[in-house]
Amino acid sequence: MARGIPPLRPGHELQLLEGSREFFPALVSAIDASRSEVLLETYIFDFTGSATEVAYALERAARRGVAVRVVVDGFGTPELPPACVARWDLAGVQWAVFSRPGFFGLLMPGQWRRLHRKLCVVDGEVGFCGGINILDDFHDPNHGELASPRFDFSLRVGGPLVAEMRATMHRQWSRIEAIGQLRKARLAGALGFVRAVANERRGHVTPPTHSDPNARAALLLRDNLRNRAVIERAYLRAIGRARSEIVIANAYFVPGGRLRRALVKAAKRGVQVKLLLQGRYEYFMQYYAARPVFGVLLAAGVQIHEYAPSFLHAKVAVVDGRWATVGSSNLDPLSLLLAREANVVVDDARFAAHLRERLAYAMQHEGKRMEASEYERRPPLQRGKEWLARMIMRIALIVQGKTYR
């Protein structure tokens, strides 16, 4: 294990799922087959369109006696619809909100440390990890109906990593419950709850799922304690070892100096570096703050393709046709310095080829390649917006006590 990056372990069955149209049916099927426990964490839980099928599946599971726990982020999901909450409460779905923003919202230190990971574990046997929120592909909370589906991926996992996913979700639930009780000045009850959950975890042993021993994988969990840089380090190591090709699809791509230099060095030593990035305006800061870094990348020979049909929300990569990652972490300071994220890293040629094929198709048929000459001719107004977006991002990081290098 190098610099805190967990080793890849064999024995995993992996299935790539594209968009909610593939992810939701697989998720609902697993929940409907659950016997004892369903754990789900998501940044956004939007009760619109096909996302309601997931909500109903959770309700059905709770009604037949399955322990169902749902955690949503307090900024990504500021409110749950009262009618849905009433149904969940009646069915016995346990749900909690991670870090509700206070009166001053994201202006307060610590409030950008969001729960951004998207995880689900069913019966300790099947896990899901990726970038897809519980949000219909054709719906956006800010932009309304979409003409084309959002571009994103999740991963269905069977094998040893599922136990790790379950353990981290139980820890997160116990923290939320304990903090809630502490705020109500019930310190003794909170400590008792933490001890009870710890005992429950120690007493539960989940047998690993037997699967293809050639599918090696590792779970990377970024937090603000011991694992602050694990996802960035995994990217840096894969990029540094690349010999032929690096393909990255990332929604909010604002790499720091280390990642930029790694990509430039790879391109200069002859590696084909291809980026598939957000081509449609979604959020001002993330859209414009990314653009100032494009110049140095284009000058080094990095290919930049902007996804055109809809919003690109993917956070995936393939290196040398074998190393791959699927997860929730963007390559920007909000993900790499502040948010709780979860990525799965895979070493498997068949899986990597499948993901690479989809990204290659998107770059060729659904994206527009950026030309260096066109980039240099962008108008002064756009350059001004880029400067403003970068300043907003820097100020936000300063408020949170962070610097991005």
Side-chain angles (χ1 to χ4, degrees):
M1 182 170 64
R3 299 188 64 194
I5 302 174
L8 294 157
R9 294 193 287 163
H12 292 93
E13 180 183 359
L14 307 169
Q15 181 185 6
L16 184 68
L17 303 168
E18 182 180 343
S20 67
R21 61 194 179 279
E22 292 185 2
F23 174 48
F24 287 175
L27 184 61
V28 168
S29 177
I31 294 171
D32 280 342
S34 63
R35 304 180 305 277
S36 59
E37 180 185 69
V38 176
L39 308 174
L40 187 144
E41 291 180 1
T42 184
Y43 181 68
I44 298 173
F45 203 130
D46 184 273
F47 295 77
T48 303
S50 61
T52 58
E53 297 303 320
V54 179
Y56 294 152
L58 294 167
E59 179 185 338
R60 289 193 297 269
R63 287 187 184 279
R64 64 176 184 270
V66 175
V68 179
R69 290 177 174 174
V70 178
V71 179
V72 300
D73 182 77
F75 185 79
T77 310
E79 292 184 1
L80 296 175
C84 294
V85 168
R87 292 179 61 126
W88 274 4
D89 289 344
L90 187 62
V93 174
Q94 301 176 67
W95 59 275
V97 179
F98 175 85
S99 186
R100 295 180 187 271
F103 179 78
F104 292 101
L106 298 182
L107 297 177
M108 294 296 292
Q111 285 302 307
W112 287 75
R113 296 179 178 179
R114 309 314 314 174
L115 182 71
H116 193 244
R117 62 196 193 186
K118 293 88 179 173
L119 294 171
C120 182
V121 171
V122 178
D123 291 343
E125 298 172 357
V126 178
F128 296 86
C129 177
I132 305 176
N133 289 290
I134 307 303
L135 176 65
D136 189 287
D137 273 345
F138 288 89
H139 172 73
D140 185 89
N142 299 307
H143 298 271
E145 185 176 354
L146 303 178
S148 296
R150 190 179 291 100
F151 188 71
D152 206 349
F153 295 94
S154 188
L155 184 64
R156 186 185 187 277
V157 183
L161 293 192
V162 179
E164 295 181 36
M165 295 166 64
R166 180 181 185 273
T168 192
M169 296 175 79
H170 269 286
R171 287 194 295 271
Q172 186 61 66
W173 181 269
S174 69
R175 290 190 194 105
I176 293 173
E177 288 286 288
I179 289 171
Q181 293 195 30
L182 284 169
R183 286 175 176 170
K184 295 176 183 178
R186 292 204 295 266
L187 178 58
L191 294 177
F193 180 86
V194 172
R195 286 193 293 268
V197 172
N199 291 333
E200 174 192 336
R201 289 201 300 271
R202 284 194 292 267
H204 185 97
V205 178
T206 303
T209 301
H210 298 286
S211 56
D212 182 358
N214 294 319
R216 301 195 304 144
L219 178 66
L220 307 184
L221 298 169
R222 204 218 80 85
D223 57 37
N224 292 293
L225 297 172
R226 293 180 298 174
N227 302 307
R228 288 175 290 181
V230 64
I231 292 176
E232 184 178 16
R233 287 173 182 165
Y235 266 100
L236 288 170
R237 186 169 68 172
I239 293 168
R241 294 178 174 181
R243 293 295 173 262
S244 59
E245 183 186 61
I246 298 167
V247 183
I248 297 174
N250 209 256
Y252 310 127
F253 181 79
V254 189
R258 286 173 295 201
L259 276 168
R260 289 200 305 272
R261 288 190 293 271
L263 291 169
V264 168
K265 287 180 181 178
K268 288 185 175 179
R269 66 174 183 266
V271 177
Q272 284 194 320
V273 182
K274 304 173 184 178
L275 305 178
L276 179 62
L277 307 178
Q278 184 85 269
R280 292 184 57 179
Y281 176 91
E282 187 175 9
Y283 301 111
F284 176 85
M285 184 177 72
Q286 289 92 330
Y287 182 82
Y288 284 107
R291 277 155 161 67
V293 309
F294 291 172
V296 66
L297 297 175
L298 290 167
V302 173
Q303 296 181 28
I304 298 177
H305 301 259
E306 295 186 289
Y307 188 76
S310 186
F311 293 129
L312 181 145
H313 196 255
K315 305 100 166 55
V316 300
V318 179
V319 176
D320 288 347
R322 187 167 189 94
W323 184 95
T325 186
V326 178
S328 65
S329 181
N330 291 293
L331 296 179
D332 77 342
L334 302 185
S335 280
L336 296 179
L337 295 180
L338 296 169
R340 284 171 169 81
E341 304 284 4
N343 275 43
V344 171
V345 168
V346 177
D347 179 11
D348 183 75
R350 182 182 298 179
F351 177 86
H354 184 193
L355 177 56
R356 183 196 176 279
E357 181 181 6
R358 183 61 189 96
L359 298 180
Y361 182 90
M363 285 186 287
Q364 183 175 356
H365 300 286
E366 300 169 327
K368 177 184 177 184
R369 182 170 175 178
M370 182 181 294
E371 300 295 336
S373 58
E374 180 183 352
Y375 172 81
E376 292 299 331
R377 292 196 303 269
R378 65 197 193 283
L381 179 59
Q382 180 173 328
R383 293 172 186 260
K385 291 179 179 179
E386 293 170 4
W387 177 87
L388 179 60
R390 295 286 282 190
M391 288 300 299
I392 294 172
M393 183 170 284
R394 287 196 182 102
I395 292 170
L397 292 174
I398 290 171
V399 170
Q400 304 304 313
K402 297 289 185 180
T403 56
Y404 190 42
R405 298 188 299 274

